[in-house]
């Protein structure tokens, strides 16, 4: 949802900014642009191009090596189409000051009208250009960019990360944030500003977190943070624990494939250090939660929402706590019944999804206790939650989420087991069995990945299908929803996930001769196994081509059968989702789509 980079230091700014943008391109790729400051008083160099970063690089043609201060932007369009003119940076009326922005300025029309009345001429259709013009006016009045930024922020409604650079002070960058992410990378003789740490990870591991409504002034040797009243605040410093290599493709054709193959490790890392003995579980992070809650409400978006739907089964079955799961974007705009006895869990890979953040704030304002499950340290959602359970998936770059989902489900399973043992709702023998089953998952995922080639070949045979249906029951139902979402995101095919029992109430009418149906079968001993097998027969009888995902406990005579290792029924999605990810990946490749950057999407959606 727009990536932002700023650099000031003694090294060439352009290469640092472009490198950062390359790492942030997952946030949006409708256009890219830079503004570079050369020597004092010289005009800013501004270049911006619609389309991916490569177009901008082509236009820059490797020039401007002497610039030591610069800002860069990669865009996910909201206001104004993805054109060169709407691309950021935007200039003020004088042309001496450039601004980039992530978020939405909700009162931009009002500001624009006011500025036009004072004679300002606008070039783009964006909300951002109003900020650039307003900042220019305020700068003219105060002569100080930070003061000007504070005055402007006080007038803005909505969400924003803003960076500004000015031609008269080429080594100074001023940033500000409200509801959108901005971190500072502290280097030696150079400093960075970015939407996330991946932009500067190969240059420094030292980062500063910025709080809500703060303005930061960065020069090569100094970082000063203030609130909007101009009072200095001390930002929280932290060390980044992963390295640049983790954010690179490492020989895989796409980030998504690399991330699919990283899942055994991601799951193992998320389980690491949780079991002091073979039958006990420890979650120190939950000490801030009082434990007297009567119900759990899980809020999330996209794939993280599916993690919540899967986690509900373990929380209810093991810990015997009622759980509801709701889309974060729906929760905020109703009057839910929430009290201190409600534990609200937000799940977010990025920790920045605006719908989830707003839902968290709404839940807090209603008095709920809050816990977040998140993959990105220092991001806004965990910062604003009472407690946080970090997943350890490592950086996830591909827009379609894979390893983050599996680790989110693992985190929920850990939570379920922890609450179950606290409330004594399961025996210690049963706890031990579940711990054993959890610890076996990384090897079982590995096993699936080692035998995935026939699935890839089979997938290519379906590349001209117009619609694919996914069926599951119990935990297989949210797994089916995730399979369908992955296929939509990546292959741009119509896909829907259904609960097996619901089939006869409508969806079965969609089945035609040859319709591919992916059916997820529970273990044969499950009480719903027979029912799911019947659903498979029902769709086959109507001409569907069934691809079944089943463990060895089933003897099935189906032409297309994908085997997964046996596991506890509740844990099965950790395994059954892996072939669904591979199916969607391979389909996208077969259809010639951009796997890591699917059309119209962004990895981190920081607008509502
Ligand atoms: C976007 C991404 C999805 C992701 C969702 C929630 O839509 O494209 O892959 O599941 O946001 O993201 P979060 O960072 O909150 O998990």
């Amino acid at each position: 949802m727009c990536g932002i980079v700023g650099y000031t230091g003694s090294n060439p700014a352009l290469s640092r900014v472009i490198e950062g943008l390359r790492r942030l391109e997952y946030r949006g790729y409708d256009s890219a642009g830079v503004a570079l400051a050369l020597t004092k008083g010289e005009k800013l160099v501004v270049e911006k191009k619609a389309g991916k970063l490569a177009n901008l690089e082509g236009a820059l043609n490797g020039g401007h090596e002497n610039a030591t201060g610069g800002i860069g932007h990669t865009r996910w369009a909201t206001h104004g189409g993805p054109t060169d003119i709407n691309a950021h940076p935007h200039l003020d009326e004088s042309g001496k000051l450039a601004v980039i922005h992530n978020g939405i300025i909700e009162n931009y029309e009002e500001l624009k009208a006011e500025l036009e009345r004072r004679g300002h001429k606008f070039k783009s259709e964006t909300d951002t250009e109003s900020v650039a013009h307003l900042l220019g006016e305020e700068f003219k009045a105060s002569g100080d960019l930070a003061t000007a930024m504070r005055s402007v922020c006080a007038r803005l409604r909505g969400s924003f990360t803003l960076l500004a650079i000015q031609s008269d002070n080429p080594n100074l960058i001023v940033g500000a944030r409200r509801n959108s992410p901005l971190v500072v990378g502290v280097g030696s003789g150079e400093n960075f500003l970015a939407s996330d740490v991946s932009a500067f990870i190969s240059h420094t591991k030292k980062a500063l977190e910025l709080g809500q409504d703060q303005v930061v002034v960065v020069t090569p040797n100094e970082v000063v943070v203030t609130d909007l009243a101009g009072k200095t605040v001390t930002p929280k410093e932290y060390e980044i624990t992963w390295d640049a290599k983790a954010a690179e493709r490492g020989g895989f054709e796409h980030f998504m494939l690399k991330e699919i193959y990283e899942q055994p490790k991601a799951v193992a890392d998320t389980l690491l250090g949780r079991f002091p003995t073979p039958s006990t579980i420890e979650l120190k992070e939950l000490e801030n939660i009082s434990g007297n809650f009567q119900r759990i409400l899980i809020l999330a978006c996209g794939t993280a929402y599916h993690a919540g739907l899967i986690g509900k089964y373990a929380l209810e079955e093991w810990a015997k706590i009622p759980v509801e799961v709701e889309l974060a974007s729906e929760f905020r705009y109703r009057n839910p019944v929430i009290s201190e006895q409600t534990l609200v869990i937000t799940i977010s890979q990025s920790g920045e999804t605006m719908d989830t953040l707003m839902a968290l704030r709404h839940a807090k304002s209603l008095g709920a206790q809050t816990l977040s499950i998140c993959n990105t340290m220092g991001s806004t959602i965990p910062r604003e939650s009472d407690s946080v359970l970090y997943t350890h998936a490592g950086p996830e770059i591909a827009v379609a989420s894979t390893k983050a989902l599996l680790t989110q489900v693992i985190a929920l399973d850990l939570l379920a087991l922890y609450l179950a043992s606290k409330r004594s709702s399961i025996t210690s023998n049963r706890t031990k069995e579940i711990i054993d089953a959890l610890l076996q998952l990384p090897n079982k995922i590995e096993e699936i990945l080692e035998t995935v080639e026939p699935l890839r070949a089979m997938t290519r045979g379906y590349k001209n299908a117009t619609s694919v249906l996914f069926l599951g029951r119990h935990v297989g139902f949210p797994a089916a929803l995730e399979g369908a979402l992955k296929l939509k995101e990546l292959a741009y095919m119509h896909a829907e996930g259904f609960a097996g029992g619901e089939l006869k109430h409508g969806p079965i009418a969609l089945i035609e001769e040859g319709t591919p149906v992916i059916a997820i079968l529970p273990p044969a001993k499950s009480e719903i196994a027979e029912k799911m097998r019947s659903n498979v027969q029902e769709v086959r009888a109507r001409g569907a081509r069934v691809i079944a995902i089943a463990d060895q406990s089933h003897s099935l005579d189906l032409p297309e059968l994908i085997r997964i290792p046996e596991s506890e029924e509740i844990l099965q999605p950790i395994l059954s989702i892996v072939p669904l990810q591979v199916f969607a990946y391979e389909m996208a490749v077969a259809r010639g789509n951009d796997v890591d950057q699917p059309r119209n999407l962004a990895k981190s959606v920081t607008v509502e």
Side-chain angles (χ1 to χ4, degrees):
M1 202 68 9
C2 298
I4 280 191
V5 193
Y7 174 81
T8 173
S10 49
N11 289 296
L14 181 59
S15 58
R16 293 281 204 267
V17 169
I18 294 287
E19 180 189 341
L21 289 181
R22 195 167 298 122
R23 294 248 167 85
L24 294 179
E25 212 182 3
Y26 72 85
R27 298 178 65 87
Y29 28 84
D30 287 329
S31 64
V34 291
L36 300 165
L38 303 167
T39 46
K40 190 171 169 169
E42 219 176 306
K43 268 181 81 175
L44 293 174
V45 172
V46 177
E47 192 64 72
K48 46 192 202 171
K49 281 275 165 249
K52 296 199 173 165
L53 183 59
N55 295 357
L56 172 69
E57 287 181 278
L60 286 162
N61 203 14
H64 316 297
E65 277 304 291
N66 49 344
T68 51
I71 55 176
H73 187 268
T74 175
R75 179 169 187 243
W76 188 81
T78 58
H79 292 62
T83 61
D84 287 358
I85 289 180
N86 289 332
H88 299 211
H90 292 282
L91 294 171
D92 77 328
E93 194 67 21
S94 74
K96 289 178 158 188
L97 190 152
V99 171
I100 54 177
H101 166 222
N102 166 207
I104 290 178
I105 306 299
E106 285 169 2
N107 56 335
Y108 81 100
E109 279 170 324
E110 187 184 311
L111 295 172
K112 184 173 176 184
E114 177 191 317
L115 287 154
E116 279 176 337
R117 280 197 295 279
R118 293 200 289 268
H120 289 254
K121 299 267 177 301
F122 282 75
K123 297 191 175 79
S124 75
E125 304 152 286
T126 64
D127 49 343
T128 309
E129 199 179 356
S130 308
V131 179
H133 282 253
L134 196 60
L135 192 66
E137 269 195 356
E138 291 290 340
F139 179 65
K140 221 165 143 189
S142 69
D144 177 62
L145 195 52
T147 308
M149 183 65 95
R150 283 190 285 268
S151 314
V152 168
C153 290
R155 294 213 50 201
L156 302 180
R157 288 203 308 272
S159 61
F160 50 82
T161 302
L162 293 164
L163 293 191
I165 193 164
Q166 210 270 340
S167 59
D168 287 335
N169 202 344
N171 281 321
L172 176 120
I173 298 171
V174 174
R177 73 166 288 260
R178 175 185 300 160
N179 297 337
S180 293
L182 180 61
V183 282
V184 182
V186 184
S188 147
E190 59 179 359
N191 286 313
F192 300 78
L193 287 159
S195 303
D196 77 46
V197 300
S198 64
F200 51 73
I201 184 87
S202 47
H203 303 290
T204 177
K205 294 270 177 74
K206 200 161 122 187
L208 302 176
E209 271 180 28
L210 289 188
Q212 187 72 333
D213 276 329
Q214 293 185 346
V215 169
V216 58
V217 179
V218 177
T219 52
N221 294 305
E222 201 180 22
V223 177
V224 179
V225 182
T226 64
D227 62 16
L228 289 193
K231 191 166 155 264
T232 307
V233 288
T234 311
K236 196 169 146 209
E237 190 180 307
Y238 65 103
E239 252 334 270
I240 304 157
T241 51
W242 44 274
D243 62 18
K245 265 222 165 70
E248 279 156 18
R249 279 209 306 269
F252 284 90
E253 208 180 326
H254 298 101
F255 277 112
M256 184 184 175
L257 194 61
K258 175 182 176 242
E259 289 161 8
I260 288 174
Y261 275 83
E262 282 171 347
Q263 293 184 114
K265 181 171 186 306
V267 167
D269 287 351
T270 304
L271 290 168
L272 200 70
R274 300 304 189 176
F275 310 118
T277 73
S279 60
T280 52
I281 173 162
E282 193 173 75
L283 292 184
K284 291 210 177 89
E285 297 90 330
L286 295 193
E287 277 159 14
N288 285 345
I289 302 277
S290 79
N292 68 348
F293 48 85
Q294 314 275 309
R295 59 190 270 258
I296 291 177
L297 174 60
I298 299 180
L299 302 170
C301 302
T303 289
Y305 168 68
H306 294 157
L309 291 176
I310 297 168
K312 171 184 162 86
Y313 289 82
L315 283 161
E316 292 197 333
E317 185 159 322
W318 301 339
K320 309 280 180 248
I321 302 170
V323 180
E324 290 158 84
V325 189
E326 186 167 348
L327 290 167
S329 53
E330 288 295 314
F331 170 76
R332 195 190 163 196
Y333 296 100
R334 59 186 192 87
N335 287 316
V337 181
I338 300 281
S339 72
E340 280 163 18
Q341 267 109 53
T342 313
L343 174 67
V344 167
I345 304 177
T346 50
I347 310 175
S348 174
Q349 187 286 128
S350 60
E352 300 293 349
T353 299
M354 186 58 75
D355 288 319
T356 311
L357 175 61
M358 291 304 166
L360 166 67
R361 289 185 182 159
H362 189 45
K364 280 181 87 169
S365 72
L366 296 170
Q369 301 183 56
T370 56
L371 165 70
S372 65
I373 293 179
C374 185
N375 194 42
T376 311
M377 277 178 85
S379 55
T380 311
I381 291 171
R383 274 210 320 261
E384 296 196 12
S385 304
D386 297 326
S387 294
V388 51
L389 202 52
Y390 279 110
T391 49
H392 295 280
E396 191 181 66
I397 308 296
V399 167
S401 183
T402 53
K403 59 178 181 167
L405 167 83
L406 293 202
T407 56
Q408 287 158 354
V409 176
I410 291 287
L412 287 164
D413 289 338
L414 288 173
L415 178 68
L417 202 54
Y418 172 80
L419 295 175
S421 64
K422 278 241 152 213
R423 294 174 178 227
S424 307
S425 53
I426 56 173
T427 62
S428 102
N429 273 352
R430 181 72 186 118
T431 306
K432 184 175 179 307
E433 267 172 32
I434 296 168
I435 292 175
D436 282 348
L438 283 166
L439 291 172
Q440 286 172 28
L441 289 172
N443 283 344
K444 291 183 176 176
I445 302 169
E446 195 84 63
E447 222 178 285
I448 298 173
L449 293 171
E450 277 164 11
T451 53
V452 94
E453 274 317 310
L455 166 62
R456 293 182 68 172
M458 185 190 83
T459 305
R460 294 193 281 273
Y462 287 98
K463 84 171 207 199
N464 296 320
T466 47
S467 174
V468 180
L469 306 183
F470 294 75
L471 283 188
R473 282 174 178 251
H474 192 262
V475 282
F477 171 42
L481 295 178
E482 175 60 10
L485 176 62
K486 280 284 145 305
L487 198 65
K488 281 185 261 205
E489 283 179 294
L490 292 159
Y492 318 148
M493 286 167 98
H494 170 251
E496 280 192 68
F498 296 112
E502 223 11 55
L503 199 63
K504 55 190 176 295
H505 299 295
I508 202 159
L510 291 169
I511 308 285
E512 291 173 355
E513 197 56 43
T515 304
V517 174
I518 301 193
I520 305 161
L521 280 99
K525 63 173 189 285
S526 158
E527 59 178 349
I528 45 135
E530 272 315 316
K531 298 208 164 40
M532 195 60 213
R533 287 168 72 114
S534 303
N535 293 145
V536 167
Q537 294 314 328
E538 285 156 17
V539 293
R540 285 188 83 202
R542 285 160 179 86
R545 286 175 65 186
V546 172
I547 304 160
I549 299 181
D551 67 22
Q552 298 291 350
S553 63
H554 288 271
S555 60
L556 286 164
D557 182 21
L558 283 171
E560 285 167 328
L561 180 59
I562 299 155
R563 288 292 187 187
I564 54 172
E566 290 184 40
S567 71
E568 290 259 347
E569 182 170 13
I570 278 196
L571 302 180
Q572 201 199 40
I574 298 283
L575 304 175
S576 63
I577 283 177
V578 177
L580 301 182
Q581 296 166 339
V582 174
F583 183 80
Y585 169 82
E586 197 59 38
M587 195 69 94
V589 173
R591 289 164 70 100
N593 297 349
D594 188 335
V595 174
D596 286 334
Q597 297 180 338
R599 71 182 178 204
N600 304 336
L601 298 179
K603 181 140 195 79
S604 174
V605 184
T606 52
V607 292
E608 274 190 89

PDB file of all heavy atoms in Angstrom, residues 301-304 347-351 353 399 401 408 489 602-603 605, ligand 1:
ATOM      1  N   CYS A 301      -8.044  -9.765   8.353  1.00  0.00           N
ATOM      2  CA  CYS A 301      -8.442  -9.583   6.949  1.00  0.00           C
ATOM      3  C   CYS A 301      -7.737 -10.626   6.085  1.00  0.00           C
ATOM      4  O   CYS A 301      -6.641 -11.073   6.413  1.00  0.00           O
ATOM      5  CB  CYS A 301      -7.973  -8.236   6.416  1.00  0.00           C
ATOM      6  SG  CYS A 301      -8.582  -6.858   7.347  1.00  0.00           S
ATOM      7  N   GLY A 302      -8.345 -10.914   4.952  1.00  0.00           N
ATOM      8  CA  GLY A 302      -7.699 -11.748   3.933  1.00  0.00           C
ATOM      9  C   GLY A 302      -7.310 -13.110   4.474  1.00  0.00           C
ATOM     10  O   GLY A 302      -8.065 -13.784   5.178  1.00  0.00           O
ATOM     11  N   THR A 303      -6.085 -13.495   4.171  1.00  0.00           N
ATOM     12  CA  THR A 303      -5.594 -14.804   4.590  1.00  0.00           C
ATOM     13  C   THR A 303      -5.523 -14.911   6.116  1.00  0.00           C
ATOM     14  O   THR A 303      -5.794 -15.976   6.683  1.00  0.00           O
ATOM     15  CB  THR A 303      -4.212 -15.042   3.938  1.00  0.00           C
ATOM     16  OG1 THR A 303      -4.454 -15.242   2.542  1.00  0.00           O
ATOM     17  CG2 THR A 303      -3.502 -16.246   4.495  1.00  0.00           C
ATOM     18  N   ALA A 304      -5.206 -13.822   6.789  1.00  0.00           N
ATOM     19  CA  ALA A 304      -5.134 -13.844   8.254  1.00  0.00           C
ATOM     20  C   ALA A 304      -6.516 -14.165   8.852  1.00  0.00           C
ATOM     21  O   ALA A 304      -6.616 -14.804   9.904  1.00  0.00           O
ATOM     22  CB  ALA A 304      -4.621 -12.499   8.765  1.00  0.00           C
ATOM     23  N   ILE A 347      -5.138 -10.584  14.069  1.00  0.00           N
ATOM     24  CA  ILE A 347      -4.082 -11.346  13.387  1.00  0.00           C
ATOM     25  C   ILE A 347      -3.651 -10.552  12.163  1.00  0.00           C
ATOM     26  O   ILE A 347      -4.503 -10.141  11.357  1.00  0.00           O
ATOM     27  CB  ILE A 347      -4.588 -12.733  12.931  1.00  0.00           C
ATOM     28  CG1 ILE A 347      -5.283 -13.458  14.084  1.00  0.00           C
ATOM     29  CG2 ILE A 347      -3.447 -13.581  12.370  1.00  0.00           C
ATOM     30  CD1 ILE A 347      -5.920 -14.779  13.674  1.00  0.00           C
ATOM     31  N   SER A 348      -2.356 -10.339  12.036  1.00  0.00           N
ATOM     32  CA  SER A 348      -1.872  -9.579  10.880  1.00  0.00           C
ATOM     33  C   SER A 348      -0.406  -9.899  10.621  1.00  0.00           C
ATOM     34  O   SER A 348       0.416  -9.772  11.530  1.00  0.00           O
ATOM     35  CB  SER A 348      -2.042  -8.080  11.151  1.00  0.00           C
ATOM     36  OG  SER A 348      -1.455  -7.336  10.118  1.00  0.00           O
ATOM     37  N   GLN A 349      -0.100 -10.298   9.421  1.00  0.00           N
ATOM     38  CA  GLN A 349       1.301 -10.547   9.055  1.00  0.00           C
ATOM     39  C   GLN A 349       2.092  -9.255   9.181  1.00  0.00           C
ATOM     40  O   GLN A 349       3.111  -9.194   9.843  1.00  0.00           O
ATOM     41  CB  GLN A 349       1.365 -11.079   7.609  1.00  0.00           C
ATOM     42  CG  GLN A 349       2.713 -11.550   7.115  1.00  0.00           C
ATOM     43  CD  GLN A 349       3.698 -10.442   6.798  1.00  0.00           C
ATOM     44  OE1 GLN A 349       4.829 -10.458   7.279  1.00  0.00           O
ATOM     45  NE2 GLN A 349       3.302  -9.455   6.045  1.00  0.00           N
ATOM     46  N   SER A 350       1.573  -8.205   8.533  1.00  0.00           N
ATOM     47  CA  SER A 350       2.319  -6.941   8.460  1.00  0.00           C
ATOM     48  C   SER A 350       2.235  -6.139   9.748  1.00  0.00           C
ATOM     49  O   SER A 350       3.125  -5.346  10.050  1.00  0.00           O
ATOM     50  CB  SER A 350       1.758  -6.079   7.331  1.00  0.00           C
ATOM     51  OG  SER A 350       0.382  -5.806   7.590  1.00  0.00           O
ATOM     52  N   GLY A 351       1.140  -6.297  10.468  1.00  0.00           N
ATOM     53  CA  GLY A 351       0.917  -5.448  11.650  1.00  0.00           C
ATOM     54  C   GLY A 351       0.496  -4.041  11.277  1.00  0.00           C
ATOM     55  O   GLY A 351       0.464  -3.145  12.130  1.00  0.00           O
ATOM     56  N   THR A 353      -2.160  -3.502   8.608  1.00  0.00           N
ATOM     57  CA  THR A 353      -3.412  -3.463   7.840  1.00  0.00           C
ATOM     58  C   THR A 353      -4.408  -2.510   8.509  1.00  0.00           C
ATOM     59  O   THR A 353      -4.757  -2.681   9.678  1.00  0.00           O
ATOM     60  CB  THR A 353      -3.999  -4.887   7.725  1.00  0.00           C
ATOM     61  OG1 THR A 353      -3.036  -5.673   7.043  1.00  0.00           O
ATOM     62  CG2 THR A 353      -5.306  -4.907   6.972  1.00  0.00           C
ATOM     63  N   VAL A 399       3.166 -11.119  -2.472  1.00  0.00           N
ATOM     64  CA  VAL A 399       1.902 -10.512  -2.041  1.00  0.00           C
ATOM     65  C   VAL A 399       0.958 -11.579  -1.478  1.00  0.00           C
ATOM     66  O   VAL A 399       0.299 -11.364  -0.457  1.00  0.00           O
ATOM     67  CB  VAL A 399       1.275  -9.716  -3.212  1.00  0.00           C
ATOM     68  CG1 VAL A 399      -0.159  -9.343  -2.905  1.00  0.00           C
ATOM     69  CG2 VAL A 399       2.106  -8.453  -3.451  1.00  0.00           C
ATOM     70  N   SER A 401      -0.047 -14.442   0.697  1.00  0.00           N
ATOM     71  CA  SER A 401       0.531 -14.923   1.951  1.00  0.00           C
ATOM     72  C   SER A 401       0.547 -16.454   2.010  1.00  0.00           C
ATOM     73  O   SER A 401      -0.432 -17.107   1.663  1.00  0.00           O
ATOM     74  CB  SER A 401      -0.323 -14.364   3.093  1.00  0.00           C
ATOM     75  OG  SER A 401       0.215 -14.727   4.323  1.00  0.00           O
ATOM     76  N   GLN A 408       0.537 -18.336  11.641  1.00  0.00           N
ATOM     77  CA  GLN A 408      -0.579 -17.748  12.401  1.00  0.00           C
ATOM     78  C   GLN A 408      -1.454 -18.857  12.993  1.00  0.00           C
ATOM     79  O   GLN A 408      -1.902 -18.785  14.142  1.00  0.00           O
ATOM     80  CB  GLN A 408      -1.439 -16.857  11.488  1.00  0.00           C
ATOM     81  CG  GLN A 408      -0.764 -15.534  11.135  1.00  0.00           C
ATOM     82  CD  GLN A 408      -1.315 -14.884   9.866  1.00  0.00           C
ATOM     83  OE1 GLN A 408      -2.143 -15.460   9.154  1.00  0.00           O
ATOM     84  NE2 GLN A 408      -0.853 -13.682   9.576  1.00  0.00           N
ATOM     85  N   GLU A 489      -6.447 -14.732  -6.244  1.00  0.00           N
ATOM     86  CA  GLU A 489      -5.373 -13.728  -6.165  1.00  0.00           C
ATOM     87  C   GLU A 489      -4.332 -13.920  -7.256  1.00  0.00           C
ATOM     88  O   GLU A 489      -3.844 -12.975  -7.838  1.00  0.00           O
ATOM     89  CB  GLU A 489      -4.600 -13.885  -4.846  1.00  0.00           C
ATOM     90  CG  GLU A 489      -5.243 -13.358  -3.618  1.00  0.00           C
ATOM     91  CD  GLU A 489      -4.355 -13.607  -2.398  1.00  0.00           C
ATOM     92  OE1 GLU A 489      -4.129 -14.774  -2.019  1.00  0.00           O
ATOM     93  OE2 GLU A 489      -3.897 -12.637  -1.821  1.00  0.00           O
ATOM     94  N   ALA A 602      -1.965  -5.519  -3.180  1.00  0.00           N
ATOM     95  CA  ALA A 602      -0.784  -5.039  -2.457  1.00  0.00           C
ATOM     96  C   ALA A 602      -0.651  -5.900  -1.229  1.00  0.00           C
ATOM     97  O   ALA A 602      -1.629  -6.466  -0.747  1.00  0.00           O
ATOM     98  CB  ALA A 602      -0.949  -3.591  -2.059  1.00  0.00           C
ATOM     99  N   LYS A 603       0.553  -6.007  -0.738  1.00  0.00           N
ATOM    100  CA  LYS A 603       0.767  -6.902   0.399  1.00  0.00           C
ATOM    101  C   LYS A 603       0.217  -6.323   1.687  1.00  0.00           C
ATOM    102  O   LYS A 603      -0.365  -7.024   2.508  1.00  0.00           O
ATOM    103  CB  LYS A 603       2.258  -7.193   0.563  1.00  0.00           C
ATOM    104  CG  LYS A 603       2.490  -8.131   1.723  1.00  0.00           C
ATOM    105  CD  LYS A 603       3.534  -9.134   1.419  1.00  0.00           C
ATOM    106  CE  LYS A 603       3.528 -10.274   2.395  1.00  0.00           C
ATOM    107  NZ  LYS A 603       2.468 -11.248   2.128  1.00  0.00           N
ATOM    108  N   VAL A 605      -2.181  -3.508   3.199  1.00  0.00           N
ATOM    109  CA  VAL A 605      -3.222  -2.575   2.761  1.00  0.00           C
ATOM    110  C   VAL A 605      -3.464  -1.554   3.862  1.00  0.00           C
ATOM    111  O   VAL A 605      -4.204  -1.813   4.809  1.00  0.00           O
ATOM    112  CB  VAL A 605      -4.509  -3.335   2.374  1.00  0.00           C
ATOM    113  CG1 VAL A 605      -5.555  -2.376   1.839  1.00  0.00           C
ATOM    114  CG2 VAL A 605      -4.188  -4.376   1.315  1.00  0.00           C
TER     115      VAL A 605
HETATM  116  C1  LIG B   1      -3.606  -8.039   1.856  1.00  0.00           C
HETATM  117  C2  LIG B   1      -2.708  -9.153   1.355  1.00  0.00           C
HETATM  118  C3  LIG B   1      -3.194 -10.497   1.900  1.00  0.00           C
HETATM  119  C4  LIG B   1      -3.249 -10.443   3.419  1.00  0.00           C
HETATM  120  C5  LIG B   1      -4.130  -9.285   3.904  1.00  0.00           C
HETATM  121  C6  LIG B   1      -3.992  -9.066   5.403  1.00  0.00           C
HETATM  122  O1  LIG B   1      -4.857  -8.128   1.269  1.00  0.00           O
HETATM  123  O2  LIG B   1      -2.701  -9.175  -0.059  1.00  0.00           O
HETATM  124  O3  LIG B   1      -2.290 -11.515   1.497  1.00  0.00           O
HETATM  125  O4  LIG B   1      -3.757 -11.643   3.908  1.00  0.00           O
HETATM  126  O5  LIG B   1      -3.714  -8.066   3.288  1.00  0.00           O
HETATM  127  O6  LIG B   1      -2.679  -8.664   5.672  1.00  0.00           O
HETATM  128  P1  LIG B   1      -2.000  -8.728   7.093  1.00  0.00           P
HETATM  129  O7  LIG B   1      -0.659  -8.076   6.908  1.00  0.00           O
HETATM  130  O8  LIG B   1      -2.891  -7.937   8.021  1.00  0.00           O
HETATM  131  O9  LIG B   1      -1.914 -10.155   7.486  1.00  0.00           O
END
